[in-house]
Amino acid sequence: MDKLIKTIPKPPETDYILSSFHELQEQGAVDAGGFHVSSMNDCVRRGKSLPPVVVLYPNIVLEGDLCIIFGQSGIGKTIFAMQVARDIAARGKRVLYADFEMTLRQLALRYESPNFPPTFFRAEMDMEAPAGDVLKGIEAAAVTNMAEVVFIDNITALSQSLDKSSDAGSLMASLNALKRKYNWTLVILNHVPKMFSGSVPLSLSAIQGSAKLNQLIDDAVGLGQSSRDKSMVYVKQCKWRNGEVVLDADNVALYERTKNGDGNLCFTFRGYDTEAVHLETASASGREELKAKVKELSSQGMKQQDIARECGITQSKVSRLLNS
């Protein structure tokens, strides 16, 4: 009997180690520290089951995103943003436009016809009310009016120290928190430094403020002034987190600032082009070449509207060049 006991092999310690390791591998995720923890496979499966991304305005605004529209001063960012907001409201979304740029008189000069969708609301600060937290005021106005999409024109109304990383980071964290809390779509307007006035390609680095702004936004869409025609503006996607970039340097969208049939200022789509064609070259010879090309095409019997499309300029610019 003693011999039998002695011959029974003792389980090696490595078996206990392997057993513990297998148990650890099979242990499921546990929420902790204020975080929801899941396996990566579960995350991917849940992500696949989410509804598709809703495009509120093609290549400009995606539902649920935090987007910045930026461009140089005077280029028409407000006209463009209001047009985007109007189109979104026309689709049935409740839109609040927090306007820190225009007075009622200026608004009336830009829009002759009061024919906006009934779900498009404009908010302006009550100058007689005591000064407070502007972002909290926008939150209250948007919640009270059941807004789904909120435009803020422009970001300097929220903070005057965006160049400080801590301030910019705090502001963007607050905006993202509101976006998640109310399932809002947020569109913020911002300026660019003077160096991006038409000679430098648009990029994330053109956005005024700390790099924190770039890191914490979902989308960034830039407006650039065409050097070929001051009535033309090109639009370029510089960041697009939840989709494929379509409007890049080789395929910017061209718009003409004009008035529509109702007498309202608007941007009219004029096709696509490369960004490089519209950057400032400061070359007199380049301007003369454009004039010569316009006159040559006209002499061949081409209509002014076709010349405008061929040269990437407006029809009024074609007319001016032909009469110069």
Side-chain angles (χ1 to χ4, degrees):
M1 185 71 174
D2 293 340
K3 285 185 178 180
L4 287 173
I5 293 173
K6 289 180 180 178
T7 57
I8 295 174
K10 189 177 181 179
E13 291 185 8
T14 53
D15 287 352
Y16 294 109
I17 296 173
L18 286 173
S19 176
S20 298
F21 179 70
H22 288 314
E23 289 180 8
L24 184 62
Q25 283 188 313
E26 293 171 0
Q27 176 67 46
V30 180
D31 293 348
F35 286 87
H36 295 297
V37 183
S38 304
S39 72
M40 183 60 77
N41 288 331
D42 285 343
C43 291
V44 172
R45 280 191 286 267
R46 292 206 313 270
K48 293 287 187 183
S49 68
L50 293 174
V53 175
V54 176
V55 178
L56 296 182
Y57 195 95
N59 304 318
I60 306 297
V61 181
L62 294 179
E63 188 172 59
D65 276 7
L66 169 55
C67 172
I68 280 186
I69 295 177
F70 64 97
Q72 66 195 75
S73 180
I75 200 172
K77 293 187 298 297
T78 297
I79 301 171
F80 184 75
M82 281 211 169
Q83 182 167 320
V84 171
R86 176 181 187 144
D87 191 82
I88 293 172
R91 299 183 184 194
K93 294 289 184 182
R94 292 181 69 86
V95 178
L96 181 76
Y97 196 104
D99 189 355
F100 297 90
E101 288 290 301
M102 292 192 298
T103 65
L104 283 179
R105 188 177 299 279
Q106 292 168 336
L107 196 71
L109 289 173
R110 290 188 176 192
Y111 303 102
E112 294 182 12
S113 302
N115 56 0
F116 286 82
T119 54
F120 188 178
F121 304 94
R122 174 179 174 270
E124 63 177 340
M125 288 195 71
D126 183 352
M127 305 315 298
E128 296 182 359
D133 187 322
V134 175
L135 189 54
K136 283 187 177 180
I138 293 173
E139 177 184 5
V143 169
T144 302
N145 289 281
M146 298 176 290
E148 300 166 276
V149 184
V150 179
F151 283 71
I152 301 176
D153 187 3
N154 64 65
I155 199 169
T156 55
L158 305 179
S159 175
Q160 295 293 325
S161 55
L162 293 171
D163 291 328
K164 295 181 180 178
S165 180
S166 58
D167 291 348
S170 177
L171 172 60
M172 298 312 293
S174 297
L175 288 170
N176 275 300
L178 289 176
K179 182 189 76 168
R180 291 189 294 268
K181 181 178 181 180
Y182 299 109
N183 197 28
W184 282 345
T185 302
L186 286 171
V187 183
I188 317 296
L189 275 62
N190 196 2
H191 299 305
V192 300
K194 288 185 178 180
M195 65 173 289
F196 292 92
S197 58
S199 59
V200 180
L202 292 174
S203 66
L204 281 179
S205 60
I207 297 177
Q208 182 172 300
S210 165
K212 281 289 185 182
L213 296 180
N214 306 339
Q215 296 168 8
L216 298 174
I217 58 175
D218 297 310
D219 313 311
V221 178
L223 273 62
Q225 180 78 62
S226 172
S227 65
R228 300 171 70 87
D229 189 332
K230 299 305 180 184
S231 298
M232 297 288 283
V233 170
Y234 68 85
V235 177
K236 177 183 180 183
Q237 292 171 295
C238 296
K239 184 177 182 180
W240 202 248
R241 180 168 286 173
N242 294 311
E244 180 183 358
V245 172
V246 175
L247 304 178
D248 57 14
D250 295 323
N251 187 53
V252 297
L254 290 178
Y255 290 86
E256 179 184 0
R257 286 192 305 266
T258 184
K259 283 197 171 186
N260 60 21
D262 296 323
N264 295 335
L265 274 175
C266 67
F267 276 68
T268 302
F269 178 67
R270 296 302 187 199
Y272 299 96
D273 209 342
T274 62
E275 182 180 25
V277 169
H278 297 276
L279 293 178
E280 182 65 61
T281 60
S283 169
S285 62
R287 291 190 290 271
E288 289 302 318
E289 287 175 7
L290 177 62
K291 183 190 296 185
K293 182 178 181 180
V294 166
K295 292 191 174 184
E296 180 183 354
L297 293 175
S298 179
S299 67
Q300 295 172 3
M302 186 178 286
K303 296 180 180 179
Q304 288 190 13
Q305 61 185 24
D306 295 326
I307 296 174
R309 191 177 302 109
E310 174 72 19
C311 297
I313 58 178
T314 62
Q315 189 171 336
S316 59
K317 175 88 179 238
V318 171
S319 178
R320 289 197 301 272
L321 291 174
L322 290 174
N323 293 325
S324 62

